[in-house]
Amino acid sequence: MKALVLSGGSGTRLRPITHTSAKQLVPVGNKPVLFYGLEAIADAGITEVGIVVGETAAEIEAAVGDGSRFGLRVTYLRQEAPLGLAHGVLIARDFLGDEDFLLFLGDNFIVGGITGVVDGFRADPSDARLLLTEVPDPTRFGVAELDADGRIIGIEEKPSRPKSDLALVGVYLFGPAVHRAVRAIAPSPRGELEISDAIQWLLDEGLDVRSTTITGYWKDTGDVDDMLEANRTVLEGLEHRVEGDVDADTEIIGRVRIAAGAIVKGSRIVGPAIIGADARIAGSYIGPFTSIADGVRVEDSEIEYSIVLDGSSIQGVRPIEASLVGRAVEVTPASRTRAAHRLVLGDYSRVRIS
């Protein structure tokens, strides 16, 4: 079995972060989201992986390389535009051949891995097996309709009136029949080849489509709130480890990981929290569910339930919460001489000022 990982999306819901970075490489727990998926694929015993890439191809290729660090052999497949999940399958035809394969969305995050469902598909294959989970707002997802016996009878993409609350998780298992499906369907009104339409085609043709409803944690890390929630989940499983330099005036409470090369002085760190290599924390409070990446500086500030990416600096600002701070960002207090806000914001930014 091979795996096909889709990492060609533009990440519009994570702008402005994704104007300069691939959404699949935004970190949770100081590790890119994509890496969790690749590790899960390797754990499931799959070694041949095709990664569909788009305009952020260079960044993803630099981060993943040939895949050997994950125990994988990676082939990159270029998608000229984000034309839908089924289009990703379409362009991967030569790579996939006629083998069964796993389709995995590169920005999805699943706690507990996928080994069980992959093993189940190997033992009892079908034309497709879908993972489903209950969601509070099914209008955001592809939604499955089941009959009274729990068999899947229909799929609808982002319906205005969902027939169930069961959303398609971004993990699919397919046999070779799906290649006929993706060639047979037409683009949706939004101009994309939808994987939900390809699955519906399989159903309409009377092929064997099955589903498994999962109860574990799954998150589509498509926006800031989802990223912060995924980060919280990762940090809940954090093991306490302090390898950096922490002075006697610093108080550490709970599960905190401080990487080698980090320096923490006169601060209070309440876990679960992670501080990356070469970070500098001084006179500050780092609260629960916060990820501080490599090379970040935090001085005389307070921050919690947030993600701060590499090389950023936060000085003299308190409190910060529920925030995603990009790379090489400077956050400082505004001048106290007059009540005005001075902003330099990227396209599609969202700012809340009290």
Side-chain angles (χ1 to χ4, degrees):
M1 183 183 290
K2 293 180 179 179
L4 183 65
V5 178
L6 303 185
S7 296
S10 56
T12 56
R13 289 183 291 153
L14 275 172
R15 289 175 177 169
I17 299 293
T18 50
H19 280 308
T20 55
S21 177
K23 67 175 180 176
Q24 298 84 6
L25 297 181
V26 176
V28 295
N30 282 4
K31 181 164 66 176
V33 171
L34 176 61
F35 288 12
Y36 291 97
L38 295 176
E39 290 168 355
I41 289 168
D43 289 343
I46 300 173
T47 57
E48 292 287 339
V49 178
I51 301 182
V52 175
V53 293
E55 60 185 14
T56 59
E59 187 181 7
I60 290 175
E61 291 179 27
V64 177
D66 63 2
S68 57
R69 63 183 290 186
F70 305 100
L72 304 172
R73 292 187 295 274
V74 169
T75 299
Y76 293 98
L77 307 166
R78 188 61 186 259
Q79 187 180 36
E80 295 304 320
L83 297 176
L85 307 187
H87 183 262
V89 176
L90 188 68
I91 66 171
R93 182 69 177 91
D94 290 342
F95 168 77
L96 294 169
D98 289 324
E99 295 185 40
D100 294 342
F101 69 96
L102 167 75
L103 178 65
F104 193 100
L105 305 192
D107 59 352
N108 273 221
F109 181 82
I110 298 178
V111 171
I114 55 174
T115 300
V117 69
V118 171
D119 287 346
F121 188 80
R122 285 186 171 121
D124 186 16
S126 57
D127 293 302
R129 179 171 289 276
L130 318 177
L131 268 63
L132 309 176
T133 192
E134 294 182 1
V135 295
D137 182 12
T139 61
R140 297 174 52 200
F141 305 98
V143 175
E145 181 184 2
L146 307 183
D147 65 14
D149 296 321
R151 291 188 296 264
I152 189 163
I153 57 174
I155 297 288
E156 193 173 4
E157 184 67 24
K158 296 181 175 65
S160 58
R161 295 182 178 179
K163 296 177 181 178
S164 81
D165 61 355
L166 293 173
L168 298 176
V169 174
V171 178
Y172 311 80
L173 291 148
F174 289 115
V178 74
H179 296 299
R180 288 190 286 135
V182 298
R183 290 196 302 270
I185 61 175
S188 67
R190 62 178 184 163
E192 296 187 5
L193 292 177
E194 310 285 0
I195 198 67
S196 53
D197 289 344
I199 297 167
Q200 186 63 53
W201 187 92
L202 295 174
L203 288 167
D204 293 342
E205 292 294 309
L207 297 174
D208 187 6
V209 179
R210 307 177 194 176
S211 65
T212 298
T213 300
I214 64 172
T215 56
Y217 181 84
W218 164 75
K219 193 59 90 169
D220 166 17
T221 58
D223 60 28
V224 173
D225 289 342
D226 290 337
M227 290 295 304
L228 294 174
E229 179 64 14
N231 188 65
R232 180 192 65 78
T233 302
V234 169
L235 294 185
E236 282 183 339
L238 192 70
E239 294 182 2
H240 181 81
R241 186 167 68 241
V242 176
E243 298 174 335
D245 182 4
V246 179
D247 73 357
D249 294 326
T250 291
E251 181 182 19
I252 295 179
I253 300 172
R255 289 170 287 114
V256 174
R257 181 176 298 173
I258 301 177
I263 297 175
V264 183
K265 297 182 177 180
S267 297
R268 188 168 187 256
I269 317 294
V270 179
I274 186 169
I275 297 173
D278 300 318
R280 299 291 184 269
I281 314 295
S284 296
Y285 166 74
I286 308 296
F289 307 117
T290 300
S291 291
I292 303 293
D294 296 351
V296 169
R297 303 293 191 268
V298 182
E299 298 179 6
D300 189 29
S301 298
E302 298 178 4
I303 183 169
E304 66 180 13
Y305 191 59
S306 294
I307 300 172
V308 184
L309 275 58
D310 303 56
S312 289
S313 172
I314 300 173
Q315 299 186 43
V317 179
R318 58 184 70 209
I320 297 172
E321 63 180 31
S323 297
L324 174 58
V325 179
R327 295 175 176 84
V329 169
E330 293 184 3
V331 182
T332 58
S335 170
R336 298 179 183 272
T337 58
R338 58 190 296 260
H341 300 287
R342 182 175 185 270
L343 307 174
V344 179
L345 303 173
D347 297 348
Y348 305 100
S349 292
R350 290 175 297 186
V351 178
R352 295 171 181 162
I353 299 174
S354 60

